[in-house]
Amino acid sequence: MVYFILAIVLFAILTFYRVMKGPSVPDRVAAMNAIGVMFLLVLVLLSLYFDRKVFLDVALVYGVFLFVNVLIMAKYFTKPEKGEVGD
Amino acid sequence: MINILVQLFVYVFLLTGLYFLLSTAVGMIRFPDLYTRLHAGSKCLMAGGISVLMGCIVMEGIGFVSLKIIVIIILLLITNPVAIHVIARLAENYHFVPKKIAKNELDK
Amino acid sequence: MMDIIFNMLMIFLVITAFFMVFTKDISTAVIALPIYGAILVVIFVILQAPGPAIAEAVIAAGLTTVFFVITINKTEY
């Protein structure tokens, strides 16, 4: 079960490449959403691995605030920058 | 006997989830356009997450912990499509032109 | 085996922090901030501390990012 946690962390590190080299802002927000859901799965698996029920509350609270992050970013990053060309 | 069967179901669910999460990471890296990346970020991610959480439910059995995991599944099912839709509405401020896969050979 | 995951998360934390400092665009740095918070939450959970983990998930991954985004919208544009 530890191998599954290690694999999901490795996939999150792979997805961080798109945050580093995304050409525009919505690419980076979508990659941030994907990394957040992957870490939520890691939190649930760690809660079952350590056999403590308290850590599931951490996963639930983190999921709610990830959604709030995405909503606020999509509402307030409105105007594009000067020389940005989407591809 | 029933223990081995439960263990096998857990491994099948977790491996399916890992496959979809790997396809999410590869799609986020390799796709050429924003909208195709949104496909990878919505469908593959939700399939992988639900598979991993179903594996956790099968591992844990019926109880208080599995009810909390069901609450997390319902939260993901509500919030992730809304998030992807909102990102797509953000992208129309940037005036993207989607890349053409095939050339248009009719206008010559 | 948990030690390898812990070291990998530490390396990812350092990469995220240096990326936030040395990038040129300011909105990119703000987008990289919740990822930093998420890694800190997982590290606190591995270290068996649920209280700081919930505080980190509420404050650093939630509230600070919202304040930075609203501030960038009010000033730069």
Side-chain angles (χ1 to χ4, degrees), chain A residues 69-79, chain B residues 86 90 93, chain C residues 69 73:
Chain A
N69 269 331
V70 175
L71 282 189
I72 293 295
M73 280 180 188
K75 185 170 174 55
Y76 285 106
F77 279 151
T78 52
K79 289 181 182 177
Chain B
V86 159
L90 168 68
N93 290 323
Chain C
V69 169
N73 190 17

Side-chain angles (χ1 to χ4, degrees), chain B residues 22-98:
Chain B
L22 175 64
S23 72
T24 301
V26 173
M28 274 290 173
I29 291 174
R30 289 287 295 169
F31 275 160
D33 198 2
L34 171 68
Y35 299 104
T36 50
R37 278 173 211 146
L38 288 183
H39 279 282
S42 69
K43 297 177 184 63
C44 294
L45 191 65
M46 281 311 291
I50 289 175
S51 296
V52 170
L53 292 176
M54 283 296 287
C56 291
I57 288 175
V58 174
M59 188 193 306
E60 193 62 33
I62 298 172
F64 190 66
V65 176
S66 67
L67 191 138
K68 248 178 200 177
I69 297 175
I70 286 173
V71 170
I72 293 177
I73 286 180
I74 293 172
L75 187 136
L76 274 184
L77 271 178
I78 293 173
T79 58
N80 201 7
V82 176
I84 295 297
H85 193 270
V86 159
I87 292 169
R89 290 299 290 267
L90 168 68
E92 78 177 8
N93 290 323
Y94 287 83
H95 304 291
F96 286 126
V97 176

Side-chain angles (χ1 to χ4, degrees), chain A residues 2-3 5-6 9-10 12-13 16 19-21 25 28-29 31-32 35-36 39 42-43 46-47 49-50 52 54-55 57-58 61-62 65-66 68-69 72-73 75-81 84, chain C residues 1-2 4-5 8-9 12 15-16 19 25-28 30-32 34-35 37-39 41-42 44-50 53-54 57-58 61-63 65-66 69-70 72-74 76-77:
Chain A
V2 186
Y3 296 102
I5 302 173
L6 194 143
V9 170
L10 200 65
I13 294 175
F16 187 70
V19 181
M20 292 174 80
K21 197 187 165 293
V25 173
R28 291 180 171 127
V29 180
M32 192 271 290
I35 291 175
F39 275 118
V42 167
L43 285 178
L46 277 177
S47 163
Y49 177 73
F50 288 131
R52 295 183 66 180
V54 188
F55 293 156
D57 292 332
V58 182
V61 169
Y62 180 68
F65 277 92
L66 179 75
V68 172
N69 269 331
I72 293 295
M73 280 180 188
K75 185 170 174 55
Y76 285 106
F77 279 151
T78 52
K79 289 181 182 177
E81 295 177 1
E84 188 163 5
Chain C
M1 198 63 204
M2 193 55 79
I4 299 175
I5 299 173
M8 192 182 292
L9 282 172
F12 192 22
I15 289 172
T16 313
F19 174 69
D25 196 3
I26 193 169
S27 62
T28 307
V30 174
I31 291 170
I35 305 170
I39 301 162
V41 168
V42 178
F44 280 143
V45 166
I46 288 176
L47 291 177
Q48 302 282 326
I54 289 180
V58 173
L63 206 61
T65 310
V66 172
V69 169
I70 293 174
I72 286 172
N73 190 17
K74 295 293 185 193
E76 189 177 358
Y77 293 146

